Amino acid sequence: MLISLCLPLLGSAALALAAPAAARRLPPRTAAWSLTCAAVVAAGAWVTVLTMLALTLIGQIPLIAAEAEWSPSALARATPVDRPVAAACAGAVLACAITLTAVSWRNIRVLLDAWRECRSLPAAGDLAVVDDPVPTAFALPGAPGRVVVSSGMLQALDADERRALLAHERAHLRHRHHLFLLTLQLAAAVNPLLRPLTRTGTFVMERWADESAATAVGSRKLVAQAVARAALAAKRAPRTTALAAVGGPVPQRVQALLTPPAPLRRGVVTALAALMAVCCIALAHAGRDIDHIFDTASPEHGCRVTAPQQEHRSHSPHPCHRESAQRLS
C-alpha cells in the first residue's frame, strides 16, 4: 500500500527532472504543450498524494471520526504511515495552499495591471509605439493585447528586422504564451520540484515565438539577426510582466534559428506521455487504497453486527459507537 502511495510522488519527481531535458529536444510548440501537461500532472499527483496521507491523520480526530462513523483506532492501525509523517504531509499541503494563493493573487494583479495599461496606451491596431530613446519591445497581454515598442528600438533596426521583431511579439499574443507561463508558475507553486520548468518554459515560449516569426517573414536568418540586434540595442531589461524578444538566453535562441528546425521526436513525446499515464494510474491506485483504508475503519467493515445481535442492539451500544463515545469523553 505504501508503494502505491509513493509511486505518484516518484512519478511527479521523474516528470520534473525529465521534462526540461525533453523540451530542449522537441520543436518549441510541442515542447510547450508537453511541459505544461507534465507540470499539471506532476503538481496534481504531488498535492493529491500529500492530501490523502494527511487525511489519514485528520480522520483520527475523534470529532471527525464520530461524524463519519468510523473507528479512530482501526484507522490508526490501517494507515500506512506514522503520525509524524502524516502531520508533515498536512503541513506540506497547507504550505502548498498558501503559496498557490500568493502566486495566484500576484499573477491576477499583474494581468489586471496589464489590461489597464493596454487600455491607456495609444495604439494603431495592436501596435503601441512609446516615445522612449531606450530600445525595448515586448508583448503586453490584455483585452486585447498590445505589442509595445519604443522609438529607440525602431531606430535601432532596419525595416525587415522591425517586421521580424513585431512578428515575434505578435506570436506571443496569438498563442497566449502568458497562459502557458502562468500554468507553469502555479504548478511550481504547488510542487517545488517543478520550479526549473518555469525557466525552461520561458526559453521554450521565446523559441516558439521565434519559429512563428520565421514562418511569418519567411526567413529564420532574418529573425536571428533581429533578435541579436534587439538584444544588443536594449539598454535595460524588459519588464517581468511581459514577454519580450530579448528574453531568455539569446545566444541559444540565435544558434537554434541558424540551424535546421528540430524534428519531432515521437519517442520523446511517447516517453513523456507514458510517464504521465503511469503517474495518473498510480494515483488512481493510491486513491483506491486510501478508500479501502477508510472502509476498513468503518462499522460496516470492521464492526459488522450479526442477526442475533440486532435484538440486543437496543440494550447495548454498538462497539464502534462505544469506542467513539469513550474518546469523546
Side-chain angles (χ1 to χ4, degrees), residues 209-292:
D210 289 341
E211 295 296 339
S212 295
T215 301
V217 301
S219 173
R220 294 167 59 81
K221 183 178 179 180
L222 176 59
V223 176
Q225 182 178 334
V227 168
R229 290 193 63 178
L232 291 174
K235 302 298 183 182
R236 65 185 180 198
R239 64 189 69 190
T240 57
T241 61
L243 289 161
V246 294
V250 174
Q252 289 89 329
R253 291 170 52 198
V254 171
Q255 182 180 6
L257 285 167
L258 295 177
T259 56
L264 177 59
R265 294 179 171 87
R266 299 186 183 276
V268 176
V269 177
T270 302
L272 273 180
L275 190 55
M276 286 187 277
V278 168
C279 195
C280 292
I281 293 172
L283 187 62
H285 194 271
R288 188 186 65 181
D289 287 346
I290 288 294
D291 186 62
H292 177 70

Side-chain angles (χ1 to χ4, degrees), residues 86-130:
C89 292
V93 172
L94 180 61
C96 289
I98 294 173
T99 306
L100 182 62
T101 302
V103 172
S104 300
W105 175 246
R106 184 172 67 249
N107 279 279
I108 289 173
R109 291 184 59 185
V110 166
L111 288 177
L112 291 176
D113 290 342
W115 287 336
R116 282 193 291 266
E117 190 170 352
C118 280
R119 288 199 301 267
S120 65
L121 287 173
D126 64 347
L127 178 62
V129 179
V130 180

Side-chain angles (χ1 to χ4, degrees), residues 22-261:
R24 294 181 180 274
R25 302 182 60 191
L26 295 172
R29 181 170 184 163
T30 305
W33 281 104
S34 299
L35 272 180
T36 306
C37 293
V40 170
V41 171
W46 175 270
V47 75
T48 301
V49 172
L50 291 179
T51 302
M52 288 191 294
L53 292 176
L55 287 176
T56 62
L57 177 62
I58 296 173
Q60 297 177 40
I61 299 175
L63 288 175
I64 295 178
E67 183 68 23
E69 296 184 352
W70 58 56
S71 169
S73 61
L75 183 59
R77 289 193 299 269
T79 183
V81 294
D82 296 332
R83 284 176 176 265
V85 176
C89 292
V93 172
L94 180 61
C96 289
I98 294 173
T99 306
L100 182 62
T101 302
V103 172
S104 300
W105 175 246
R106 184 172 67 249
N107 279 279
I108 289 173
R109 291 184 59 185
V110 166
L111 288 177
L112 291 176
D113 290 342
W115 287 336
R116 282 193 291 266
E117 190 170 352
C118 280
R119 288 199 301 267
S120 65
L121 287 173
D126 64 347
L127 178 62
V129 179
V130 180
D131 187 13
D132 188 348
V134 177
T136 184
F138 52 86
L140 194 62
R146 293 282 187 270
V147 173
V148 182
V149 60
S150 69
S151 57
M153 180 63 79
L154 294 178
Q155 293 172 3
L157 305 178
D158 61 30
D160 289 337
E161 291 168 349
R162 288 196 294 267
R163 188 162 54 93
L165 181 71
L166 296 178
H168 173 99
E169 301 301 345
R170 288 183 173 121
H172 283 313
L173 297 177
R174 184 171 63 255
H175 298 300
R176 302 290 191 271
H177 289 168
H178 61 285
L179 296 181
F180 285 87
L181 292 179
L182 175 61
T183 303
L184 292 176
Q185 290 171 6
L186 295 179
V190 172
N191 187 346
L193 294 176
L194 299 175
R195 288 176 183 173
L197 263 64
T198 57
R199 294 190 295 271
T200 305
T202 301
F203 174 74
V204 168
M205 300 309 158
E206 294 298 337
R207 285 282 303 116
W208 186 355
D210 289 341
E211 295 296 339
S212 295
T215 301
V217 301
S219 173
R220 294 167 59 81
K221 183 178 179 180
L222 176 59
V223 176
Q225 182 178 334
V227 168
R229 290 193 63 178
L232 291 174
K235 302 298 183 182
R236 65 185 180 198
R239 64 189 69 190
T240 57
T241 61
L243 289 161
V246 294
V250 174
Q252 289 89 329
R253 291 170 52 198
V254 171
Q255 182 180 6
L257 285 167
L258 295 177
T259 56

